[in-house]
Amino acid sequence: MPVASEEPSHQKPLTDNDIIRLAQYHHCQTSLSLPPYLLSPTSHSPLLSYLKSRSSLPSPSKPVSEYAIALLSLISLSPTTPSLSSLLASLLLAYAQIFPKIPSDSDSLKTIQLFGTLIRYLRDEEIKSVVDSILSGVSRVVAVDDAQLFDLLPVCFDLLRNPIEAKASEIDYVNSAVDRVLSCEWEKGFVTKIVSLAKEFQFLDKGRKSELLEKVFCGVKCIDLQDLPSLVYQLLVLASKGFCKREVIGGVVCFFGSKAESRVASVLRQIEGTVLLHVNFAVKQDPSLGQEVVALVKSDLRAFNHFTVAVLFSVARVRKFGENSLGVLRTGLLSAYNDYRFSKDCKWLPDELKEERLLHAKLVEKSLLRAVSECKYGREHVFPSVIQFGFMLLESVEEGRSNEFGGSSGVLGIEKLSIQILGTLFEVHDMTRNEIIEQCKFRILSLKCAKSKPILRLLGYLVQRYSLIMLEYVHHLKELLDYFTFMEGNISCFLVSAVIPLIKFSRDLQDYTILVIRKAMFRREDTVRISATKVIIELILAEKQAKKDSSFTLQDSSSQASSSQQTEVSCTARGNLFTELNGLLQRCLYQQAKVKEVVYDGLVKLVLIDPSSGAHVLDFLMPHFLRFFRQDTDFQVGITSCIKVEGGKFITEEPLDRLLFCISWILLLQPHNSPDRPSDIAWPCFGFSLTQENEQAGRNVSHEVYSSTLLKVRNFLLGKKLGDIVGLSQDTVSASLEEDKRKSYCLIILGIVQVLLNYIVTDLEKQPEGKKGEIEKDIVDLVDLYESLEKEVGKSKQGNIGKRVRFSSRNKSDDTDVGFASINEEREQVPFLATSSICQLFLIAFKLHSCKSAGNLSGLEDHSQSSSAKTEKSIYRVFSFILHVCVGHLRSSLCMKEENPLKPLVYGDMIVLGPTLLKVVYLLKPGPPLVTGQANKENKGRKDAEGRKQCLHLALLSLKELLSIYSSGSGLTGLLEDLLAVPASEDSISEECSGASNIEDPLVKSIENFMGKVMKPIITDLIAQNSNDVEETNTITCAVQILCDIMLMIGNALPDKSKQRHGSWAHEIFRSCETSNTTVAKSILKLAISFTTSPGDLCIAVEVAKELQNVIGLDKADTSQVSESYTIINQSTSASITSCILQLVDSAIGDMDWGTKKLKNMYVASQKNIHLNHDDESTSGLALEEALYAMAESTVKILSSFVLMNLKDSQAAQFLRLAVKFYKQLAQIVKQRIAPKGCKQSLPSLKFQKLVELTCKSLTVPLYPFLAELQKEQQESVSSNAKGIINKIKQENKCIPDLIFQIEDYERYLIQLSKVTKLNLLRHAKRSTARDFKIIEDAEVPAGGEDGGNQEEAETQNNNVGGNEDGMGDESENDPEQASRDLESDKATAAEESDDEEKEEGEEEEGSGFSRPKKIAKKSLVVEDSDEDSVTF
């Protein structure tokens, strides 16, 4: 556009209104020229004064904006004119000065936007002035509209940083301007504005970006809640532009996860829901953000909070990140559990770190539960993710660990947590219920047995807690029941067990279940019929229990039912299921033995739940019972019809012992002529109904028949042998089959004997005093019969104690199926003798023993020597029988669930066994003869010792099993108190242990007293007895081992201070004990190390290893037979002690592996600056690092002693494997100390340097001669053609190459760390002589011959491979620095043949130029410090 010539000085100035009109006129007539007045520099001051005067008006916004826009529109007609450009700069500066005085509205925003289009016409100095003016108003920004001027900053910065014309000064000015912004205090409005502008600041370096984000997230807590979603959206947009994605994501989850907790909870949940939708949308638009979310939790598992979990659930809805997001959540949870599980029992870990692991596990659980519970507040889009995650956790449950934490520490565990997660969704959301049921059905049918059990427990939980809601899904349960016959036995039983609580609300479901069971009873598979029988019993018991509890009402369920459900629930109670299913039960009595056992045990449960059914059960069993106990002829026990031949061997067809067990307990539970509780309805019996009088008469008859039969069986068995009981067989079978038949007979009779003993002893108190003596004699005779039958079976008294009783045992950890009605598993068998019966048998045995002792002491003449010996032997047989039964009884209690009605009946309160068992231990403990005042012959003494030995072992074993049962429960205190009440002798006085009186915790006090008054004296007495008798020595060995195990078991509950005291006692015993028994030595050492707190336990191991070196050192001339400091260490015990120490080292290395991984995670989080709590992480990291280095030092000291020992065979191979694992851990520790690129390298701590020096001097240097000596012995063994040595040599030779490689790998990282820290960490290192994994000794080359020629040829080949190796010795003499570089090259190349774990390091090693040499034939060199080295390092 043409510009007017310069105006004369007398030109009339324009007013502000003239400017506005002129701008409007020029807007219509674009061809007109500007008035000369505007082009004159003298007009600037008046024009700017109009702007300031308009800002002083009462409503300045519109006038100022109108005038400024008019003037800018005129300037825009010719912005390149110098005078107008100067006017533009002055106008912008003036507007910036008055901006705080005018309202910030749309008019001001329009003005600023027009300024932004013209800034490019300003000079750099003018732009800088504008920037300075804008930045001076940072402190005045409160609301976001107050920061409208800052919209000009990106344009100004871009103009100053013009890549074509920009100078270094302008770039420095921009950086300084940014620093000024970062150094100011930001109000909430400025925070919002800077976030919206930050995407324009892509030129910022990483440090300034991080600082800007840190300021933003510090100011976010002041932002109004309604502004948070938009702010987060801006941040996500910023991250999608590549602006520090990890920090943005981390800051958002950190803020909503912790810093926003002080806000109003209800409003905050709504805000979080909106933010989650923003995150979900952003991840869909930019998948890299989803990767950052996943990577954040992967890098630092401590970033867990409820919002992190919610974000991952939301991100999981994006198909690309579904498995990855949920997998990270699962990994984080499992890692928290594993860390807590490890730290809970870790001795070397400081208490602060243990507490941190516990709190972290609780935090992760709390975060998951909170995230799930908040899903009901408008977060329906994450429901599928939560359901998928819940079932993913259930499938992660390991068998035996479903209830490992027990809830005492407040940690739920993975199964309870996942059930709570799914239960929360099931309760609140209708849309999720169908999906959860469908997922349960699919997984139950598709997963293996172990994996489907947690799903069944979830189904049982839903049925029990939401019974009326589950009625809507009965058709799904019916579909599951259709697969009953195709499931594994346990799974089908668990399924019905889970559904049974729902049957009382649904007649239809009950009928359908019965229909399925009827079909299953006709299947060929034995397991299906067994499962069906269990279900029949369980249905009957559930009905009886429901009637007993009167639970056919709606009050039992907390949920509300719909109208259709009300109709279903209000159905009338049906008749008696026992009567309805009578036909099925009759069919069960003609099935295989296991089916009958289920029926018999189930009938006892039925009588326990409903005592009025006892007579009817006896009537039901009568026809079947009379098949084996005929009453019309001479009494015979039909044992011969209880077995049959099948598959070439005899099997049990009728478990007659179980039948008698069932009948005997029913008779004991319903004594003769006792009034029964009247039943609610008449009991139809086998098709006809009895009147009350006839029914009572029938009960009396059946009771008499059963009672008299049991008495006849007892009289029939007394004084008979197997042949008399079963009679002579007319069948001719092979000898092996005949033996099998005899064993089958014996097993049945053994069970019958136990049933009779239980029946007799239980009924003993009701008998008159005159008959008790005769009954006790019958009991002894039955025990003798039991012993004789056991010999027939071929069972040894000294082996496999658990097999003496006819039921299997299992560990307590196997019994994890709790939470719904119990159905016995196949391996769960009820013992024949009850706890009360065992106690009565012990009393009878004590009575017999006391009578025998009194008789012997009285010196009566009529007691012959043979009679006395026979009585003594009989007494020990009684003790042996009772203790065998007691061991099996205690073990079997672990496999019976608490819900089983038989458990209180058979087991009761087993604590009563404790004092009795301890009394037996005191009675049988080796010492003075039990009977004094009478000379015993040697043969009699040996028999007594043999019986006493076996009984003492069984008594201690029983006591251990009893303490194991109550060790994790609340009954341990009471049990220990009862044990302490037992006097060690008749004249002993009960005194409290020193130091125990000050203990307030009753459990700790009881343990202290028990260990001090009972355990320690017995162990001391047993060790002090040096018997020459081998049998007696074995007794002491087993007893000491069991006692040490008991101390370790109950001592876990003690605090560290108490443990240390007991550890010192055991250490002193180990130091002063003189024995050659390997088991005793190993048990005492294990006790001392286990009770000694860290680091004292490893110090003991170091001392013992040094003493072992004196006994089995390399130089046999310097070895001694017995250690001077530890007399228990001698040539006989050295092997077992060595094995114990090596096991300790193995455990320590495993702990190091955990600690190394935790440190690695902390280092990564620290280096990437993604942790949430700087101070806590630094403190815990240092504590863990110090503890790890201390344990590694002790491990080095222990291994350095073994290097100087003459280890043989398997122990040498074990030592080599441990050395490989240890150097691998050291390599990882050193590698972690090397900072990655872009991170600051810190100097290694003094502890670390000491560890490196100690390892090099004490372990690495003497290790090579050890290997050489080992291979030398191998060659001698091979040359002597020793048989059985070749395989052992091969095993050791596999370890040697791996060990050499791990040493070189460790030293390679030491070299790299030395370079970056300028510290010579290898000044004590030694060059490896092992190349091609062969130790080359200095030896003279033979002058001639075939061997000499071969050796020369091999040496020539070695010398021709790689100039670096062969010339190193000569070059290093003249150039030490070159030798150091060559050493570095050799060590660093070891990683090229490493395993998959080292593949991660490929990028680090890339470009290093190292090439692995093939062979080195030169002798190793020790790296020494030199002047050149001091420059290098």
Side-chain angles (χ1 to χ4, degrees):
M1 180 178 180
V3 179
S5 60
E6 194 171 320
E7 180 193 4
S9 58
H10 60 273
Q11 177 67 34
K12 181 180 178 181
L14 299 175
T15 65
D16 51 351
N17 293 323
D18 295 335
I19 296 294
I20 294 173
R21 286 194 297 271
L22 184 63
Q24 294 173 349
Y25 181 74
H26 275 275
H27 180 71
C28 299
Q29 303 291 331
T30 56
S31 60
L32 297 179
S33 61
L34 290 173
Y37 180 77
L38 286 178
L39 302 178
S40 172
T42 59
S43 65
H44 293 180
S45 179
L47 293 176
L48 295 178
S49 65
Y50 297 150
L51 183 68
K52 295 179 181 179
S53 62
R54 282 178 171 253
S55 66
S56 302
L57 297 175
S59 301
S61 177
K62 189 70 175 179
V64 170
S65 176
E66 186 180 27
Y67 175 73
I69 290 176
L71 190 57
L72 287 174
S73 63
L74 293 175
I75 295 174
S76 65
L77 297 177
S78 182
T80 56
T81 303
S83 61
L84 292 181
S85 176
S86 175
L87 176 61
L88 175 63
S90 301
L91 180 63
L92 182 54
L93 292 173
Y95 188 82
Q97 291 176 0
I98 67 169
F99 184 78
K101 303 177 183 179
I102 63 176
S104 301
D105 51 16
S106 58
D107 294 327
S108 61
L109 180 62
K110 190 185 301 182
T111 305
I112 292 172
Q113 290 174 346
L114 187 56
F115 271 122
T117 61
L118 300 175
I119 287 181
R120 66 179 182 273
Y121 299 108
L122 301 181
R123 293 178 290 107
D124 288 348
E125 295 301 324
E126 294 172 338
I127 294 176
K128 291 180 182 179
S129 300
V130 171
V131 171
D132 291 337
S133 178
I134 294 173
L135 295 183
S136 64
V138 172
S139 59
R140 295 190 294 269
V141 177
V142 177
V144 64
D145 290 336
D146 296 342
Q148 290 178 351
L149 272 177
F150 287 85
D151 290 337
L152 301 176
L153 284 182
V155 181
C156 295
F157 288 162
D158 288 342
L159 292 173
L160 291 175
R161 293 179 53 86
N162 189 335
I164 300 176
E165 303 176 0
K167 301 178 182 178
S169 59
E170 278 75 14
I171 296 176
D172 292 341
Y173 174 80
V174 172
N175 292 334
S176 65
V178 173
D179 292 338
R180 285 175 58 190
V181 174
L182 296 177
S183 62
C184 296
E185 291 293 332
W186 294 2
E187 297 293 335
K188 59 181 180 180
F190 189 75
V191 171
T192 305
K193 173 58 69 175
I194 205 68
V195 170
S196 63
L197 296 178
K199 58 179 177 292
E200 307 294 338
F201 298 156
Q202 296 295 332
F203 58 85
L204 295 181
D205 56 59
K206 185 177 180 181
R208 289 187 173 88
K209 288 181 178 179
S210 299
E211 189 175 354
L212 184 146
L213 288 176
E214 187 176 352
K215 293 278 290 185
V216 167
F217 287 115
C218 285
V220 165
K221 57 187 177 182
C222 301
I223 302 294
D224 296 333
L225 285 176
Q226 63 270 18
D227 295 332
L228 283 176
S230 60
L231 178 65
V232 172
Y233 184 79
Q234 291 292 336
L235 285 170
L236 293 174
V237 172
L238 183 63
S240 65
K241 301 293 184 181
F243 196 100
C244 295
K245 296 182 179 181
R246 181 73 59 85
E247 276 103 349
V248 171
I249 298 297
V252 171
V253 299
C254 176
F255 170 75
F256 285 100
S258 58
K259 297 180 180 178
E261 293 294 322
S262 59
R263 305 298 184 94
V264 180
S266 59
V267 179
L268 185 62
R269 278 195 296 265
Q270 299 175 10
I271 299 298
E272 288 178 355
T274 306
V275 170
L276 289 177
L277 292 175
H278 287 336
V279 172
N280 184 271
F281 178 76
V283 171
K284 290 178 180 177
Q285 299 299 314
D286 184 7
S288 64
L289 291 179
Q291 295 174 356
E292 292 298 333
V293 172
V294 174
L296 171 68
V297 184
K298 267 187 179 179
S299 301
D300 189 3
L301 295 176
R302 292 165 300 168
F304 255 91
N305 54 57
H306 75 281
F307 191 74
T308 307
V309 176
V311 168
L312 286 173
F313 281 149
S314 181
V315 171
R317 297 300 299 135
V318 182
R319 180 177 300 179
K320 184 177 181 180
F321 299 103
E323 294 293 333
N324 211 357
S325 297
L326 299 182
V328 168
L329 272 178
R330 174 181 172 274
T331 302
L333 177 63
L334 295 180
S335 176
Y337 282 149
N338 291 333
D339 291 347
Y340 169 62
R341 186 184 301 113
F342 174 86
S343 63
K344 184 173 60 172
D345 299 322
C346 184
K347 294 172 60 176
W348 59 272
L349 205 62
D351 292 338
E352 298 80 13
L353 293 181
K354 291 183 180 181
E355 184 67 20
E356 181 184 336
R357 294 297 96 193
L358 172 61
L359 294 177
H360 179 62
K362 290 182 179 180
L363 173 65
V364 172
E365 287 186 344
K366 182 180 177 181
S367 301
L368 282 167
L369 292 175
R370 179 176 173 182
V372 173
S373 65
E374 291 182 352
C375 289
K376 56 188 176 183
Y377 301 105
R379 304 181 189 178
E380 287 78 6
H381 73 287
V382 303
F383 286 171
S385 299
V386 178
I387 294 174
Q388 183 182 354
F389 179 69
F391 282 102
M392 183 186 295
L393 290 184
L394 279 178
E395 292 181 10
S396 303
V397 176
E398 299 179 16
E399 187 70 13
R401 280 189 172 180
S402 62
N403 195 27
E404 61 174 329
F405 298 121
S408 59
S409 59
V411 179
L412 293 175
I414 188 169
E415 181 174 325
K416 289 183 178 179
L417 177 66
S418 54
I419 289 178
Q420 281 198 25
I421 288 174
L422 294 172
T424 301
L425 291 185
F426 188 88
E427 178 183 10
V428 180
H429 307 289
D430 295 335
M431 59 184 295
T432 62
R433 293 172 185 167
N434 189 69
E435 179 64 22
I436 291 175
I437 297 298
E438 285 290 341
Q439 289 291 333
C440 286
K441 184 173 71 173
F442 169 74
R443 283 173 163 79
I444 289 171
L445 295 177
S446 60
L447 293 177
K448 294 182 178 179
C449 179
K451 293 293 184 181
S452 59
K453 284 182 181 180
I455 311 297
L456 285 166
R457 287 191 279 269
L458 167 65
L459 185 62
Y461 171 82
L462 296 177
V463 168
Q464 280 192 337
R465 183 152 185 173
Y466 312 107
S467 299
L468 299 183
I469 295 177
M470 285 294 295
L471 287 176
E472 299 178 3
Y473 303 95
V474 167
H475 62 285
H476 290 281
L477 301 179
K478 289 182 179 180
E479 292 175 4
L480 267 177
L481 289 173
D482 287 336
Y483 293 91
F484 181 90
T485 57
F486 302 99
M487 297 179 185
E488 295 185 35
N490 290 339
I491 296 304
S492 59
C493 290
F494 286 140
L495 172 61
V496 178
S497 180
V499 174
I500 277 179
L502 198 61
I503 287 178
K504 64 183 179 181
F505 299 109
S506 174
R507 172 74 174 269
D508 181 46
L509 181 60
Q510 178 173 304
D511 292 341
Y512 196 84
T513 305
I514 294 174
L515 178 62
V516 170
I517 300 311
R518 288 182 185 273
K519 292 179 180 180
M521 286 301 300
F522 289 89
R523 299 283 297 187
R524 288 186 176 182
E525 298 85 352
D526 293 345
T527 56
V528 175
R529 284 180 286 177
I530 293 172
S531 300
T533 307
K534 292 178 180 179
V535 172
I536 293 172
I537 297 297
E538 204 64 30
L539 286 172
I540 296 173
L541 296 180
E543 184 211 33
K544 292 296 180 184
Q545 189 66 47
K547 289 182 179 180
K548 180 180 178 181
D549 299 338
S550 300
S551 57
F552 276 99
T553 59
L554 294 178
Q555 283 77 10
D556 284 347
S557 179
S558 59
S559 52
Q560 295 296 325
S562 62
S563 58
S564 61
Q565 294 168 357
Q566 294 284 359
T567 304
E568 183 73 25
V569 173
S570 61
C571 64
T572 58
R574 65 190 302 156
N576 194 309
L577 265 185
F578 177 74
T579 305
E580 292 188 20
L581 300 179
N582 188 273
L584 271 181
L585 290 175
Q586 289 286 352
R587 180 179 178 83
C588 292
L589 296 181
Y590 292 90
Q591 300 291 330
Q592 66 266 39
K594 290 184 179 179
V595 173
K596 297 176 184 178
E597 289 181 1
V598 173
V599 173
Y600 298 150
D601 290 346
L603 293 177
V604 179
K605 297 177 186 178
L606 175 61
V607 177
L608 281 171
I609 295 176
D610 181 17
S612 66
S613 62
H616 305 285
V617 172
L618 292 177
D619 293 338
F620 167 77
L621 289 173
M622 181 63 73
H624 186 69
F625 179 79
L626 294 178
R627 291 174 54 198
F628 305 97
F629 302 97
R630 298 182 62 86
Q631 306 292 325
D632 54 349
T633 60
D634 293 338
F635 183 79
Q636 290 289 332
V637 180
I639 295 178
T640 54
S641 57
C642 293
I643 64 172
K644 66 177 181 179
V645 179
E646 185 176 292
K649 62 179 182 179
F650 278 95
I651 64 169
T652 301
E653 186 178 21
E654 173 61 42
L656 200 58
D657 49 359
R658 281 285 148 192
L659 176 59
L660 290 178
F661 168 81
C662 171
I663 291 172
S664 65
W665 270 117
I666 295 176
L667 293 177
L668 291 172
L669 292 171
Q670 285 199 326
H672 185 42
N673 292 330
S674 65
D676 293 329
R677 182 177 64 87
S679 56
D680 298 331
I681 58 175
W683 279 74
C685 185
F686 307 110
F688 60 90
S689 179
L690 296 175
T691 64
Q692 186 174 1
E693 293 80 5
N694 292 336
E695 185 179 358
Q696 184 65 38
R699 292 181 184 180
N700 293 337
V701 172
S702 60
H703 196 285
E704 288 292 343
V705 171
Y706 286 117
S707 300
S708 61
T709 302
L710 288 176
L711 180 60
K712 292 176 182 179
V713 172
R714 184 178 84 185
N715 296 330
F716 176 76
L717 294 178
L718 288 175
K720 289 187 174 60
K721 296 183 179 179
L722 180 63
D724 301 328
I725 298 173
V726 300
L728 298 176
S729 176
Q730 302 297 327
D731 300 333
T732 57
V733 294
S734 63
S736 60
L737 202 58
E738 181 67 26
E739 183 66 22
D740 191 21
K741 181 172 69 172
R742 292 176 63 85
K743 288 184 179 180
S744 300
Y745 287 151
C746 288
L747 290 174
I748 295 175
I749 300 173
L750 286 173
I752 294 175
V753 170
Q754 290 194 51
V755 172
L756 291 175
L757 286 172
N758 183 73
Y759 184 73
I760 295 170
V761 172
T762 306
D763 200 47
L764 183 62
E765 291 298 325
K766 303 174 185 177
Q767 301 299 325
E769 290 295 332
K771 288 187 177 181
K772 287 186 177 180
E774 182 180 350
I775 294 176
E776 290 173 357
K777 182 179 181 301
D778 290 347
I779 290 174
V780 175
D781 292 340
L782 287 174
V783 170
D784 291 340
L785 174 62
Y786 191 94
E787 293 290 327
S788 64
L789 291 174
E790 274 198 330
K791 293 179 181 178
E792 290 284 346
V793 178
K795 293 184 177 181
S796 173
K797 296 181 181 180
Q798 300 176 359
N800 296 331
I801 297 169
K803 295 182 180 179
R804 290 290 299 267
V805 287
R806 295 189 53 216
F807 40 82
S808 59
S809 62
R810 60 173 177 167
N811 294 330
K812 191 171 185 178
S813 60
D814 295 333
D815 187 23
T816 59
D817 305 311
V818 294
F820 46 84
S822 168
I823 290 183
N824 289 339
E825 294 187 44
E826 186 175 346
R827 57 185 172 179
E828 180 180 304
Q829 191 112 9
V830 184
F832 295 112
L833 281 162
T835 300
S836 57
S837 301
I838 295 175
C839 290
Q840 287 294 328
L841 288 174
F842 272 121
L843 294 178
I844 294 173
F846 288 139
K847 181 179 178 181
L848 293 173
H849 183 273
S850 61
C851 292
K852 186 266 302 182
S853 301
N856 288 343
L857 285 170
S858 64
L860 296 178
E861 297 297 333
D862 58 348
H863 282 77
S864 63
Q865 189 70 29
S866 60
S867 176
S868 177
K870 184 177 180 181
T871 304
E872 185 106 10
K873 187 176 180 180
S874 178
I875 291 172
Y876 283 125
R877 277 204 304 268
V878 174
F879 271 119
S880 177
F881 166 76
I882 302 171
L883 290 168
H884 272 116
V885 171
C886 186
V887 172
H889 185 81
L890 293 169
R891 288 177 175 174
S892 67
S893 67
L894 298 175
C895 63
M896 183 175 287
K897 304 179 184 67
E898 295 296 332
E899 298 85 356
N900 195 325
L902 291 178
K903 187 153 192 176
L905 174 69
V906 177
Y907 294 102
D909 187 8
M910 292 185 293
I911 291 180
V912 298
L913 291 172
T916 305
L917 290 171
L918 186 57
K919 186 177 179 181
V920 174
V921 172
Y922 286 146
L923 188 67
L924 303 175
K925 185 178 64 174
L930 294 176
V931 180
T932 59
Q934 191 176 21
N936 295 323
K937 291 186 177 181
E938 185 178 356
N939 291 338
K940 176 177 178 288
R942 287 189 177 181
K943 291 180 180 179
D944 292 348
E946 181 181 353
R948 189 178 72 242
K949 168 188 73 70
Q950 184 186 23
C951 293
L952 176 63
H953 179 217
L954 290 171
L956 289 173
L957 194 58
S958 300
L959 188 61
K960 176 185 173 183
E961 294 290 342
L962 182 63
L963 288 167
S964 176
I965 292 172
Y966 290 96
S967 60
S968 58
S970 58
L972 181 59
T973 304
L975 175 59
L976 294 178
E977 292 294 337
D978 292 344
L979 292 174
L980 288 169
V982 179
S985 59
E986 295 181 359
D987 56 349
S988 62
I989 301 175
S990 178
E991 295 181 357
E992 200 169 62
C993 292
S994 59
S997 57
N998 300 326
I999 300 175
E1000 297 181 358
D1001 189 344
L1003 176 59
V1004 175
K1005 185 175 183 178
S1006 299
I1007 294 176
E1008 282 285 346
N1009 284 324
F1010 180 71
M1011 294 177 71
K1013 294 173 59 178
V1014 179
M1015 292 286 100
K1016 291 181 180 179
I1018 297 178
I1019 292 176
T1020 305
D1021 292 345
L1022 291 175
I1023 293 177
Q1025 295 186 19
N1026 295 319
S1027 176
N1028 296 325
D1029 187 3
V1030 176
E1031 297 290 340
E1032 192 73 22
T1033 302
N1034 291 336
T1035 304
I1036 295 174
T1037 299
C1038 296
V1040 170
Q1041 185 177 8
I1042 294 174
L1043 289 168
C1044 290
D1045 291 342
I1046 292 175
M1047 288 190 68
L1048 287 174
M1049 178 174 58
I1050 65 175
N1052 288 329
L1054 293 175
D1056 289 341
K1057 185 177 180 180
S1058 299
K1059 285 184 180 179
Q1060 181 63 46
R1061 184 165 57 252
H1062 296 299
S1064 301
W1065 171 82
H1067 187 202
E1068 187 60 32
I1069 293 291
F1070 185 78
R1071 185 186 295 273
S1072 59
C1073 177
E1074 296 181 6
T1075 182
S1076 60
N1077 190 287
T1078 58
T1079 305
V1080 171
K1082 192 172 182 178
S1083 299
I1084 298 298
L1085 177 59
K1086 183 180 178 182
L1087 189 65
I1089 292 176
S1090 299
F1091 276 152
T1092 304
T1093 56
S1094 182
D1097 53 347
L1098 290 178
C1099 293
I1100 293 176
V1102 171
E1103 294 179 13
V1104 173
K1106 289 181 180 179
E1107 293 302 320
L1108 281 172
Q1109 180 183 336
N1110 298 330
V1111 177
I1112 52 174
L1114 288 174
D1115 190 358
K1116 295 182 179 180
D1118 295 338
T1119 60
S1120 57
Q1121 292 294 321
V1122 181
S1123 169
E1124 295 181 359
S1125 301
Y1126 291 85
T1127 55
I1128 199 172
I1129 300 178
N1130 50 55
Q1131 294 293 338
S1132 300
T1133 60
S1134 59
S1136 63
I1137 295 176
T1138 299
S1139 175
C1140 185
I1141 298 298
L1142 290 176
Q1143 290 176 6
L1144 176 65
V1145 172
D1146 192 11
S1147 176
I1149 295 175
D1151 292 352
M1152 286 177 58
D1153 180 56
W1154 179 87
T1156 304
K1157 290 177 181 177
K1158 293 297 108 181
L1159 273 181
K1160 180 180 179 181
N1161 293 337
M1162 291 182 182
Y1163 289 153
V1164 170
S1166 175
Q1167 290 159 356
K1168 295 186 178 181
N1169 197 29
I1170 58 177
H1171 53 273
L1172 303 178
N1173 195 324
H1174 299 254
D1175 298 333
D1176 289 350
E1177 181 198 324
S1178 176
T1179 303
S1180 61
L1182 288 176
L1184 180 59
E1185 187 176 335
E1186 290 291 324
L1188 182 64
Y1189 292 163
M1191 185 168 59
E1193 278 187 33
S1194 300
T1195 306
V1196 170
K1197 294 176 182 178
I1198 296 172
L1199 292 177
S1200 63
S1201 296
F1202 284 106
V1203 170
L1204 304 177
M1205 294 183 197
N1206 186 19
L1207 300 178
K1208 300 296 183 182
D1209 301 334
S1210 59
Q1211 289 185 343
Q1214 184 182 4
F1215 168 76
L1216 292 177
R1217 288 193 295 269
L1218 291 178
V1220 169
K1221 293 169 64 176
F1222 181 67
Y1223 274 104
K1224 191 173 184 179
Q1225 291 302 319
L1226 288 179
Q1228 293 301 313
I1229 291 175
V1230 178
K1231 178 185 174 184
Q1232 291 174 8
R1233 300 306 307 167
I1234 304 174
K1237 294 178 181 178
C1239 297
K1240 182 181 179 181
Q1241 176 65 52
S1242 60
L1243 290 177
S1245 63
L1246 295 178
K1247 269 273 191 184
F1248 176 85
Q1249 297 181 44
K1250 181 181 178 182
L1251 172 62
V1252 171
E1253 179 180 348
L1254 183 66
T1255 304
C1256 291
K1257 293 171 64 176
S1258 302
L1259 185 58
T1260 307
V1261 171
L1263 190 58
Y1264 295 117
F1266 173 81
L1267 295 178
E1269 185 66 24
L1270 186 64
Q1271 289 191 332
K1272 182 179 178 181
E1273 293 180 359
Q1274 291 177 356
Q1275 295 299 325
E1276 293 176 356
S1277 300
V1278 172
S1279 61
S1280 62
N1281 295 325
K1283 294 182 179 180
I1285 300 298
I1286 304 300
N1287 291 333
K1288 296 178 181 178
I1289 293 175
K1290 289 181 179 179
Q1291 292 177 0
E1292 294 173 0
N1293 284 339
K1294 289 179 182 178
C1295 297
I1296 292 176
D1298 198 11
L1299 175 59
I1300 298 299
F1301 170 74
Q1302 295 299 339
I1303 294 175
E1304 293 182 344
D1305 197 38
Y1306 160 65
E1307 293 179 347
R1308 172 170 71 95
Y1309 288 119
L1310 278 180
I1311 292 173
Q1312 295 179 9
L1313 184 59
S1314 298
K1315 289 177 63 178
V1316 296
T1317 59
K1318 309 302 180 183
L1319 294 173
N1320 187 4
L1321 300 174
L1322 280 169
R1323 59 182 177 273
H1324 298 289
K1326 182 178 181 182
R1327 278 300 303 276
S1328 170
T1329 61
R1331 287 296 186 270
D1332 204 17
F1333 310 110
K1334 180 178 180 181
I1335 305 298
I1336 302 175
E1337 291 292 319
D1338 289 332
E1340 296 182 0
V1341 180
E1346 183 178 351
D1347 294 338
N1350 292 339
Q1351 189 169 353
E1352 289 177 359
E1353 181 180 351
E1355 187 174 353
T1356 302
Q1357 291 177 356
N1358 289 337
N1359 291 335
N1360 289 335
V1361 178
N1364 288 341
E1365 294 87 41
D1366 297 325
M1368 183 171 292
D1370 298 331
E1371 293 175 7
S1372 62
E1373 293 177 1
N1374 299 324
D1375 190 359
E1377 186 176 356
Q1378 178 64 29
S1380 177
R1381 287 196 298 268
D1382 292 340
L1383 172 62
E1384 176 183 331
S1385 176
D1386 292 335
K1387 304 278 179 156
T1389 53
E1392 294 184 6
E1393 296 182 2
S1394 62
D1395 52 14
D1396 293 338
E1397 183 181 2
E1398 299 298 323
K1399 289 182 180 179
E1400 300 175 352
E1401 304 156 14
E1403 295 181 0
E1404 278 184 37
E1405 307 303 329
E1406 198 173 291
S1408 60
F1410 295 140
S1411 59
R1412 183 175 177 83
K1414 296 182 179 179
K1415 293 183 180 181
I1416 294 181
K1418 291 293 181 181
K1419 196 68 179 176
S1420 64
L1421 299 173
V1422 176
V1423 179
E1424 303 287 353
D1425 282 332
S1426 62
D1427 296 335
E1428 291 81 4
D1429 292 333
S1430 62
V1431 175
T1432 302
F1433 296 108

